[in-house]
Amino acid sequence: MEKILITGQDLSVDQIVAVCRDRAVVELSAESREAVLASRKIVDDLVAEKQVVYGITTGFGKFSDVVISTDECKELQKNLIITHAVGAGDPFPEDVARGMLLLRINNLSKGYSGIRLETLETMIAMLNKGVTPFIPEKGSLGASGDLAPLSHMVLVMLGLGKAYYEGELLSGEEAMKRAGIPVIELSAKEGLALNNGTQAMTAVGALALHDAKQLLKIADIADALCFEAQNGVMDALEDRVHAIRPHEGQGKTAKNLRRLLADSKNTTRQGEIRVQDAYSLRCSPQIHGASKDAVKYVQGRVDIEINSVTDNPLIFKEDRAGISGGNFHGQPMALPFDFLKIAEAELANVSERRIERLVNPAYSALPAFLTPHGGVCSGFMIVQYSAAALVSENKVLAHPASVDSIPSSAGQEDHVSMGTIAARQAAEIGKNVRRVLAMELMVACQGIDMRGNKGLGRGTQAAYDLVRKGCAFLDDDRELYEDINYCEQILTDGSLIQAVEAALGGELDV
């Protein structure tokens, strides 16, 4: 099994996916162990010296001016967790909850948080042994960090709350017992070190980002199949067209389409059938490419955040200082995740338009709704309805969450990011986009067959073959949801991308 070394410096989105979905194990680096121990010693010294430092010897938020005695420090930290664990709604998927653990471990391993080594090792044991906290997905303002969801995560470490273990939802105490992990008692600073940060929004967003990068490839594949079904005009994809407007994503998309359609006998040249295609084909390099550029920007922000320190106060070893700052504020991620939402939604917007162009005889010169028996049969009529519904829902979800703010903690925390809402919405939009693209694959293959397949391109042939493996040509009407489910499954499990890239002899560009 793959092992990932935690350094706090170089965790990647691909490694997050490996740990959260593929159960790769993690190990703390020797350098991180030393940094954690050194940071903890400073916290112990500050407590012993009775210095006033936020969250260590004071209350939280509005209570930051209330000094806490040394004897009350442990009670302060436990109370912080149990009172802040007030999330709402359905639980996060297990991969997201594991992501929260992983990102918190990486944050703490940098040695600026003052946590005890044994507390950090408890989290690592939970991750490696498969104790996954039950964490409600709603209830975070995105500053002071993801307080409510992270507190639910910490409950399990104390033998409280709920957790999944070996497929069963148990009490936190029972899950830890079965996994053989001792529960802990929090010491000074540790509650705040564990629940003050952006790890909920970043875990959701990092996984959504990974999935969005797959959707970018799938969108190009589906688009190429529509070029086949519509006798698309290849001139608009020529490299020289895109070289004089050198947006990176635009050029990558045009290159992907040329590779996918290489050797096709169905596509045409300018003037053979028509002079130009509608925008949903002709401008797809510009449309898909803009989403690629947006996703690349989001990737850069996420790469920074997953290797950053986002709790408060921060412990600096060089002068033994405990500084209260604002690294927990989610605004640096809220805006990128709102951008990710828009980038994803546009993939479905244009996909639905390509579906419409295939099922509408006014646009395609094919039989209405791609059925040989129109009237008795409805064919793909309602597939377009369903795609349109998902696209419309995405438009609502894509409204930026980050433009909202509600003051909290009696006005002390007077601007919040709503970044966790943005990340959750990005994940939801991604699911809707994947479903629409699955529909486009199915409809495009039907269009190819009804048009009369003269010979597909190098990449489109591989895509067509895999779709047809589980989704037959529609002659008489049948239940179509299972066909869509199959098409969605080959997107979710990665088999479509794998088949196409194997045929092309290399990866598609994103």
Side-chain angles (χ1 to χ4, degrees):
M1 182 180 291
E2 183 181 359
K3 181 179 288 187
I4 292 171
L5 190 67
I6 298 296
T7 67
Q9 310 297 328
D10 52 10
L11 187 67
S12 69
V13 171
D14 286 343
Q15 288 176 324
I16 292 171
V17 173
V19 172
C20 297
R21 294 179 176 171
D22 302 329
R23 301 292 172 129
V25 299
V26 302
E27 180 180 308
L28 193 64
S29 67
E31 293 79 7
S32 289
R33 293 175 67 88
E34 293 303 315
V36 169
L37 290 169
S39 176
R40 181 61 203 180
K41 184 178 187 308
I42 295 169
V43 170
D44 289 338
D45 289 346
L46 291 173
V47 172
E49 295 164 8
K50 299 183 179 180
Q51 293 195 29
V52 177
V53 181
Y54 173 75
I56 300 178
T57 55
T58 76
F60 309 105
K62 179 63 177 175
F63 293 134
S64 60
D65 55 353
V66 178
V67 178
I68 305 299
S69 70
T70 303
D71 294 338
E72 295 173 317
C73 278
K74 288 185 177 180
E75 185 179 2
L76 171 71
Q77 301 302 318
K78 180 180 179 181
N79 286 345
L80 173 70
I81 299 302
I82 62 177
T83 61
H84 286 45
V86 290
D90 295 329
F92 279 120
E94 288 194 53
D95 60 349
V96 171
R98 286 176 59 79
M100 290 168 61
L101 272 171
L102 173 63
L103 294 180
R104 202 74 200 146
I105 290 166
N106 201 53
N107 175 105
L108 297 170
S109 72
K110 294 175 74 72
Y112 292 92
S113 302
I115 200 164
R116 291 175 300 156
L117 181 59
E118 51 264 45
T119 302
L120 186 55
E121 289 175 336
T122 297
M123 299 173 71
I124 292 171
M126 290 169 64
L127 198 58
N128 288 341
K129 294 185 178 182
V131 175
T132 305
F134 176 99
I135 304 172
E137 65 180 356
K138 298 180 181 180
S140 175
L141 296 174
S144 287
D146 291 309
L147 291 171
L150 287 170
S151 294
H152 280 277
M153 179 191 79
V154 180
L155 283 178
V156 180
M157 301 168 64
L158 311 182
L160 304 171
K162 299 178 182 179
Y164 300 98
Y165 182 68
E166 295 185 342
E168 190 175 353
L169 181 61
L170 307 166
S171 70
E173 182 180 23
E174 181 64 19
M176 295 289 273
K177 180 179 178 181
R178 291 193 191 183
I181 306 171
V183 298
I184 63 169
E185 183 180 35
L186 298 177
S187 186
K189 174 63 168 72
E190 291 195 302
L192 202 55
L194 290 165
N195 80 349
N196 195 224
T198 62
Q199 281 67 44
M201 71 179 78
T202 311
V204 178
L207 292 169
L209 170 66
H210 171 270
D211 293 344
K213 292 170 71 174
Q214 304 309 302
L215 293 174
L216 291 169
K217 293 185 177 183
I218 294 162
D220 286 354
I221 295 168
D223 183 21
L225 286 169
C226 286
F227 263 88
E228 301 274 17
Q230 293 276 40
N231 301 134
V233 179
M234 291 292 291
D235 299 67
L237 303 179
E238 287 189 16
D239 181 58
R240 57 181 171 172
V241 172
H242 304 282
I244 58 176
R245 194 194 191 195
H247 292 291
E248 184 178 3
Q250 176 180 329
K252 285 180 176 179
T253 303
K255 179 182 176 183
N256 283 348
L257 291 171
R258 292 195 302 270
R259 293 174 65 199
L260 289 161
L261 293 165
D263 303 327
S264 170
K265 303 299 189 295
N266 297 312
T267 57
T268 61
R269 303 300 301 190
Q270 192 168 294
E272 288 181 352
I273 296 177
R274 68 186 76 86
V275 173
Q276 59 184 21
D277 289 317
Y279 287 2
S280 56
L281 285 183
R282 178 164 39 116
C283 300
S284 54
Q286 290 79 3
I287 299 167
H288 291 192
S291 290
K292 286 186 174 72
D293 290 340
V295 168
K296 182 178 180 180
Y297 168 78
V298 177
Q299 175 82 59
R301 303 308 95 193
V302 169
D303 287 342
I304 292 170
E305 189 74 359
I306 61 181
N307 291 293
S308 296
V309 181
T310 61
D311 59 290
N312 179 54
L314 301 173
I315 307 301
F316 292 93
K317 293 181 280 293
E318 58 270 19
D319 59 354
R320 299 175 65 254
I323 298 178
S324 183
N327 280 3
F328 51 74
H329 203 292
Q331 195 79 350
M333 298 314 302
L335 271 66
F337 289 147
D338 276 336
F339 198 14
L340 179 61
K341 287 157 49 178
I342 296 168
E344 291 177 309
E346 281 301 291
L347 296 177
N349 280 356
V350 70
S351 174
E352 184 276 331
R353 288 294 82 199
R354 291 193 292 260
I355 293 171
E356 166 69 5
R357 297 202 74 82
L358 281 169
V359 302
N360 187 334
Y363 297 143
S364 68
L366 290 168
F369 309 115
L370 300 179
T371 176
H373 312 293
V376 174
C377 294
S378 295
F380 293 86
M381 180 190 297
I382 308 303
V383 173
Q384 185 267 330
Y385 284 39
S386 183
L390 293 170
V391 165
S392 186
E393 180 178 328
N394 283 350
K395 292 172 184 176
V396 176
L397 293 171
H399 177 83
S402 57
V403 298
D404 184 38
S405 178
I406 297 177
S408 58
S409 196
Q412 175 75 0
E413 299 166 5
D414 53 0
H415 180 280
V416 296
S417 75
M418 304 300 182
T420 313
I421 297 173
R424 290 195 299 106
Q425 288 172 330
E428 188 65 23
I429 288 172
K431 294 176 187 176
N432 290 343
V433 173
R434 186 170 59 226
R435 188 72 173 180
V436 173
L437 291 173
M439 295 175 188
E440 184 182 0
L441 289 172
M442 179 180 68
V443 171
C445 288
Q446 182 80 3
I448 289 167
D449 290 341
M450 296 202 77
R451 180 81 65 186
N453 184 3
K454 298 177 182 178
L456 295 169
R458 197 173 303 154
T460 47
Q461 183 68 62
Y464 174 90
D465 289 343
L466 186 58
V467 171
R468 281 288 177 250
K469 187 175 180 181
C471 177
F473 175 81
L474 184 68
D475 187 6
D476 294 322
D477 279 354
R478 64 173 181 266
E479 295 170 297
L480 285 174
Y481 69 90
E482 290 290 6
D483 289 20
I484 301 171
N485 288 347
Y486 168 77
C487 289
E488 187 172 9
Q489 182 57 42
I490 63 175
L491 307 187
T492 304
D493 64 18
S495 58
L496 178 76
I497 293 174
Q498 291 168 12
V500 169
E501 291 184 336
L504 295 177
E507 294 185 2
L508 292 166
D509 289 334
V510 293

